[in-house]
Amino acid sequence: MKILLTTECYAPVINGVVTSVMTFEKELRELGHEVRILTLSMTKRSYTQDHVTYISSLGAGKLYPGARFAWRTDAEFLDELVDWQPDIIHSHCEFSTFLMARQMARKLRIPIVHTYHTVYEDYTHYFSPNKKWGRAMVALFTRKVLNHTHCVIAPTNKVRSILLEYGVTRPIQVVPTGINLAKITRPIDDHEKQTLRMEMGIPKHYKVLLSVGRLAKEKNLEEILFYLSKTEQKNVTLLIVGDGPNRENLEQYAKTLGIRNHVIFVGMICPTEISAYYQLGDVFVSASNSETQGLTYVEALANGVPALCRKDSCLDDVITDGVNGWQYSCFDEFDEKLHAMLNREEVYRRLSHHAREKAVCDYSSASFARKVEQIYQREIANFGTTILKSRGGDLYRVHEGR
């Protein structure tokens, strides 16, 4: 098949959606498909580089840090993609590039499959002073967008339930996003590990709590910092990998809590180095309730790092209590499970083994690509069927394929 993937962000931008799209693109090529990408440029200039078409855009950071919208739709670049004659369009964002995808799909008479990566109601504090109003706006917007697609892919049952509550009427398939296990589990030896610990300034006998992700308000990292200040587990370092608009506030909060010496802000790192940082961790921690699936959780588990995370229905298929980690609901639960993970060696060994085993079994990027390939084939076949329409009281057949 010829497959066009559309996404608001792509390399050189680094975030969860970009990582997901790039991994997926690679697996589709391995299956023998032709793939092109439509995305937004980081400037007002549109251009094509290799198989990627970048459309001119403007920053919209006041709505959400890092957000961009198309400056203008350069018809010549979209016409090139239309002339390429893709068989299907798979969109990964609901804004500018989705409008372009919809325009091209109409012209080509081909279906659109859409992956819903982001639960926007968790981000309403960026644009709405009232959470209830914000959720209503998100529901209306999501419903209007997704009802122009032919099939929606949700990474978890939690996301599927939310979309149904919004009134989305299109078929929704639950397919957990795959990860490139080989890329993020490159083993490092003890010498490399000790060298990196020294470079980070981690005390020799300290255990490492690891957080990986964007430093934004909705990630609720303040809770982890607060719990760290309350726990009696004092021989620990919290290693925070990632950057974002909330970093300065988090650094100040750590100082206010008196735990700045127990917290290391690493900042952004090269994706090829992430496996080394995962393997520095003893326990992966998160207090976020804004995840659709939480790929960093899966990446940590794949490296044998058990997880201790705030309870969230999106994690029900990812973290099984007592098997590869725990979900907590309050400080007492967090503290109890952390103590067991850090001080009971037999418990930790079991959790670590099952963490790696489950991630490898359930979240392979190759398996994900094969599942989506089947969705493509079904949607293309369904799109070519005939349907009945009414005209003047009589029924007649219309072919929906191109």
Side-chain angles (χ1 to χ4, degrees):
M1 287 179 280
K2 289 183 177 180
I3 302 162
L4 176 63
L5 305 181
T6 67
T7 170
E8 228 73 347
C9 300
Y10 193 74
V13 175
I14 300 173
N15 62 34
V17 174
V18 173
T19 300
S20 172
V21 170
M22 293 181 74
T23 300
F24 178 50
E25 171 194 353
K26 175 181 176 295
E27 295 295 347
L28 287 175
R29 293 183 189 281
E30 291 286 329
L31 291 171
H33 303 296
E34 292 183 55
V35 185
R36 291 194 184 181
I37 308 292
L38 173 66
T39 189
L40 296 182
S41 165
M42 297 300 288
T43 70
K44 291 183 180 179
R45 184 175 72 90
S46 296
Y47 61 98
T48 298
Q49 183 175 318
D50 299 324
H51 65 291
V52 185
T53 299
Y54 293 88
I55 300 297
S56 63
S57 71
L58 292 175
K62 288 185 178 180
L63 284 177
Y64 178 77
R68 302 190 71 83
F69 287 91
W71 167 238
R72 61 178 180 273
T73 303
D74 292 295
E76 62 182 286
F77 291 93
L78 298 189
D79 287 344
E80 287 178 8
L81 291 172
V82 169
D83 291 342
W84 179 58
Q85 292 282 300
D87 297 295
I88 196 164
I89 298 176
H90 188 164
S91 56
H92 291 265
C93 193
E94 296 77 20
F95 301 103
S96 298
T97 52
F98 180 81
L99 294 176
M100 298 177 212
R102 187 177 159 197
Q103 175 184 335
M104 288 186 288
R106 279 178 172 173
K107 187 175 290 188
L108 289 162
R109 297 184 65 76
I110 59 174
I112 298 178
V113 170
H114 182 83
T115 294
Y116 195 75
H117 287 279
T118 306
V119 179
Y120 294 104
E121 66 180 73
D122 294 321
Y123 297 76
T124 55
H125 52 270
Y126 286 105
F127 60 84
S128 172
N130 184 291
K131 187 167 179 126
K132 184 177 179 181
W133 293 349
R135 188 181 195 277
M137 290 166 59
V138 168
L140 176 63
F141 169 75
T142 302
R143 185 167 62 250
K144 282 181 172 290
V145 169
L146 297 192
N147 284 344
H148 285 292
T149 69
H150 299 87
C151 177
V152 180
I153 296 174
T156 63
N157 281 307
K158 170 190 174 180
V159 175
R160 181 178 184 276
S161 296
I162 290 171
L163 295 179
L164 291 175
E165 289 174 8
Y166 289 169
V168 174
T169 58
R170 291 306 190 218
I172 303 172
Q173 302 290 326
V174 177
V175 186
T177 302
I179 60 175
N180 186 334
L181 295 172
K183 185 176 181 180
I184 57 90
T185 58
R186 182 187 70 84
I188 62 173
D189 58 34
D190 288 341
H191 175 70
E192 286 181 275
K193 188 176 291 187
Q194 293 307 318
T195 300
L196 189 53
R197 282 180 67 104
M198 289 177 61
E199 290 175 357
M200 294 292 100
I202 302 171
K204 191 171 183 180
H205 300 294
Y206 274 38
K207 300 287 188 178
V208 175
L209 307 186
L210 178 68
S211 170
V212 179
R214 180 174 172 78
L215 305 189
K217 183 178 178 182
E218 60 275 3
K219 300 300 182 181
N220 195 28
L221 197 51
E222 288 86 351
E223 179 172 283
I224 299 297
L225 292 172
F226 180 59
Y227 284 5
L228 181 60
S229 73
K230 289 182 66 179
T231 183
E232 293 183 2
Q233 298 286 324
K234 298 304 180 187
N235 60 333
V236 295
T237 292
L238 174 60
L239 195 64
I240 299 175
V241 179
D243 213 335
N246 205 34
R247 176 171 176 170
E248 188 176 334
N249 293 334
L250 292 169
E251 290 178 335
Q252 184 56 51
Y253 188 51
K255 289 179 183 177
T256 302
L257 292 171
I259 58 169
R260 190 62 183 86
N261 291 337
H262 288 264
V263 182
I264 298 173
F265 288 85
V266 178
M268 292 294 291
I269 62 165
C270 178
T272 57
E273 300 173 2
I274 189 61
S275 58
Y277 287 87
Y278 278 123
Q279 289 167 57
L280 285 186
D282 293 292
V283 178
F284 181 85
V285 293
S286 173
S288 173
N289 279 135
S290 66
E291 307 301 320
T292 52
Q293 180 179 349
L295 291 182
T296 55
Y297 301 56
V298 178
E299 291 176 354
L301 296 171
N303 280 281
V305 183
L308 182 58
C309 303
R310 173 157 283 284
K311 189 170 182 59
D312 188 337
S313 57
C314 86
L315 299 178
D316 288 348
D317 295 326
V318 179
I319 301 171
T320 304
D321 285 347
V323 176
N324 57 357
W326 274 283
Q327 297 184 52
Y328 69 85
S329 300
C330 61
F331 169 73
D332 288 341
E333 288 182 7
F334 175 93
D335 199 37
E336 176 193 349
K337 302 310 181 187
L338 181 64
H339 184 273
M341 296 168 89
L342 297 183
N343 297 287
R344 295 173 58 187
E345 189 173 340
E346 75 285 358
V347 171
Y348 187 83
R349 279 202 305 268
R350 186 184 75 246
L351 294 172
S352 178
H353 171 75
H354 288 149
R356 185 179 287 109
E357 189 178 60
K358 181 174 174 60
V360 169
C361 179
D362 294 349
Y363 295 99
S364 149
S365 56
S367 173
F368 171 75
R370 286 192 294 271
K371 291 174 184 175
V372 176
E373 179 188 48
Q374 292 174 0
I375 292 174
Y376 290 168
Q377 291 167 345
R378 183 172 64 249
E379 291 306 316
I380 289 171
N382 289 344
F383 198 77
T385 60
T386 59
I387 63 171
L388 293 176
K389 289 189 176 181
S390 175
R391 180 175 59 191
D394 297 323
L395 289 177
Y396 70 102
R397 293 186 178 275
V398 177
H399 190 268
E400 286 287 279
R402 55 177 170 170

